[in-house]
Amino acid sequence: MKKLILHTLKEKQGYVSGEELSNSLGVSRTAVWKHINELRKEGYIIESSSKKGYRLTGLPDILDGREVSVPDGQQIGRELVHFADIDSTNNYAKKIGNDGCPHGTVVTAERQTLGRGRVGRLWQSDNSRGLWFSIVLRPDLEPEKVQIITLAASVAVVEGIIEVLDINCGIKWPNDIILGSCKLGGILTELSAEPGHVNYVVVGIGLNINQDSGDFDQELQDKAASLKLFTGKTHSRAKILSGILKSFEKIYTMLLAGETRQIIDKWNKYSVTVGKEVRIISREVEYIGTAQSVALDGKLVVKCKDGTLREVSSGEVQVRGLMGYARD
Ligand code: BTN
């Protein structure tokens, strides 16, 4: 019922009388009033006038299915599971992935108590100022080809932000989202597979939206960016999420159509790694070179100082001038 009242208020874009709501929905005016008050508690701003009725004038920035919308027919985000608090949206996405949830299911949370980053790091996501979400995909791909999904996801994030806010971000290999010279977001892709077959892929995305610098832990303060710090104003997380899900659908369709080259071309267009001096730190070695390109399988091709080419598939890549890796 509450959902229907909200729907009617959104449709009308003006006053709707209590009588009209109670007649059209078949409930008493007291019931209408109770639901209106519940919506107000959830952050909806609803004005009331004894003569004219109720009018919706403000929406809360909640990442649930009422404020995050996807176009009809879109698969990514058609099913949305929202939590106020959870350990990690990736953990929950893996659980429902194992239980057989539909392709494209999205898990969002206002806060994570144990947000996880790449290479075993923690991801600070203990407040509702950022976007923390995971997408469950069921691609018909060989497990070795899944790396392309991670690259495609970073392109989707950058294009979603351009579409909604007209702000240009960059991508640091493989999928850090960079704004200015700091990190705006990151992507943690996890795979469940058996030989030759992918069961599901979870793409977990964390994006800093409305944080002030004091919201970041001390050691992140000179490395982390937020859209608010960059633009000086707050942004609707729900709108940005809707935009990213739309661009994700678009790029995933390209991926299924075998348009890998086009996806890599887009990745290169937004790359802040290619052409730069990079320091590669892996379990076995550490060396400096120049990033040349990204191969079709997603590996970073680096030209070492002695002229040899190496392909990087894992480990950490630091880019000169970004996130604390400065000239010596
Ligand atoms: C990185 O280290 O750059 C990747 C960070 C990924 C964080 C996101 S937030 C939503 C999802 N849930 C997690 O626990 N991690 C990812």
Side-chain angles (χ1 to χ4, degrees):
M1 184 52 55
K2 201 165 64 178
K3 216 169 158 184
L4 285 174
I5 293 179
L6 182 60
H7 180 77
T8 313
L9 290 175
K10 279 186 175 174
E11 288 274 287
K12 282 275 168 154
Q13 295 182 349
Y15 278 103
V16 192
S17 72
E19 192 179 357
E20 193 180 334
L21 282 168
S22 100
N23 289 343
S24 63
L25 302 173
V27 291
S28 69
R29 286 181 67 170
T30 317
V32 168
W33 176 79
K34 275 191 187 150
H35 289 302
I36 293 275
N37 276 344
E38 275 175 35
L39 287 167
R40 283 180 174 144
K41 279 189 200 134
E42 289 164 27
Y44 290 92
I45 301 173
I46 302 169
E47 288 175 2
S48 53
S49 138
S50 51
K51 290 208 180 92
K52 294 188 266 183
Y54 302 103
R55 181 166 73 130
L56 180 66
T57 56
L59 304 171
D61 192 21
I62 306 177
L63 302 177
D64 69 9
R66 293 176 299 183
E67 296 314 316
V68 179
S69 61
V70 301
D72 286 345
Q74 177 167 315
Q75 292 196 328
I76 307 290
R78 197 177 42 178
E79 299 278 332
L80 196 88
V81 188
H82 173 257
F83 291 93
D85 298 277
I86 197 166
D87 57 348
S88 150
T89 54
N90 264 36
N91 290 355
Y92 190 80
K94 287 200 285 185
K95 181 183 169 300
I96 59 174
N98 280 323
D99 294 347
C101 73
H103 165 77
T105 301
V106 171
V107 182
T108 57
E110 299 298 320
R111 288 165 294 273
Q112 298 185 118
T113 49
L114 211 68
R116 293 185 292 111
R118 285 183 63 235
V119 289
R121 296 194 181 115
L122 284 176
W123 181 261
Q124 195 190 347
S125 41
D126 52 356
N127 61 51
S128 55
R129 298 189 167 188
L131 258 181
W132 328 122
F133 66 103
S134 304
I135 308 173
V136 185
L137 303 169
R138 299 192 182 278
D140 186 10
L141 282 181
E142 285 155 28
E144 300 72 45
K145 304 224 167 110
V146 164
Q147 171 85 337
I148 184 74
I149 295 186
T150 303
L151 300 185
S154 50
V155 171
V157 171
V158 168
E159 296 199 333
I161 294 174
I162 293 176
E163 176 77 22
V164 179
L165 298 173
D166 203 15
I167 291 174
N168 293 311
C169 303
I171 307 171
K172 173 179 163 291
W173 189 90
N175 50 22
D176 283 350
I177 309 300
I178 302 292
L179 187 56
S181 60
C182 293
K183 180 158 165 171
L184 183 74
I187 301 176
L188 175 66
T189 307
E190 298 186 273
L191 168 71
S192 161
E194 37 200 277
H197 175 75
V198 171
N199 298 323
Y200 61 84
V201 176
V202 167
V203 178
I205 300 177
L207 266 188
N208 300 325
I209 311 288
N210 290 324
Q211 288 96 332
D212 294 309
S213 59
D215 292 323
F216 293 112
D217 288 347
Q218 190 71 38
E219 70 274 15
L220 293 178
Q221 290 194 357
D222 56 349
K223 296 194 183 93
S226 81
L227 287 169
K228 183 180 178 197
L229 285 170
F230 187 78
T231 60
K233 52 185 183 191
T234 53
H235 298 276
S236 158
R237 295 173 311 145
K239 276 198 189 133
I240 297 170
L241 177 57
S242 306
I244 293 174
L245 296 181
K246 198 168 151 199
S247 56
F248 204 106
E249 174 92 4
K250 208 165 119 197
I251 198 127
Y252 193 77
T253 308
M254 288 173 67
L255 198 145
L256 293 185
E259 296 173 12
T260 310
R261 181 74 264 165
Q262 287 88 326
I263 295 173
I264 298 282
D265 287 348
K266 275 175 178 279
W267 190 94
N268 275 310
K269 185 168 110 187
Y270 301 122
S271 167
V272 293
T273 308
V274 171
K276 298 272 173 53
E277 186 178 310
V278 288
R279 184 196 283 158
I280 313 296
I281 305 165
S282 74
R283 228 174 273 144
E284 306 82 32
V285 281
E286 183 174 326
Y287 56 94
I288 287 177
T290 308
Q292 300 288 294
S293 59
V294 162
L296 281 179
D297 59 3
K299 289 184 184 139
L300 183 69
V301 183
V302 175
K303 190 172 191 177
C304 304
K305 287 196 164 157
D306 62 4
T308 54
L309 292 179
R310 286 198 195 202
E311 286 196 336
V312 183
S313 58
S314 60
E316 186 177 330
V317 173
Q318 296 179 343
V319 179
R320 262 265 192 257
L322 287 184
M323 292 153 62
Y325 176 31
R327 280 196 180 280
D328 296 326

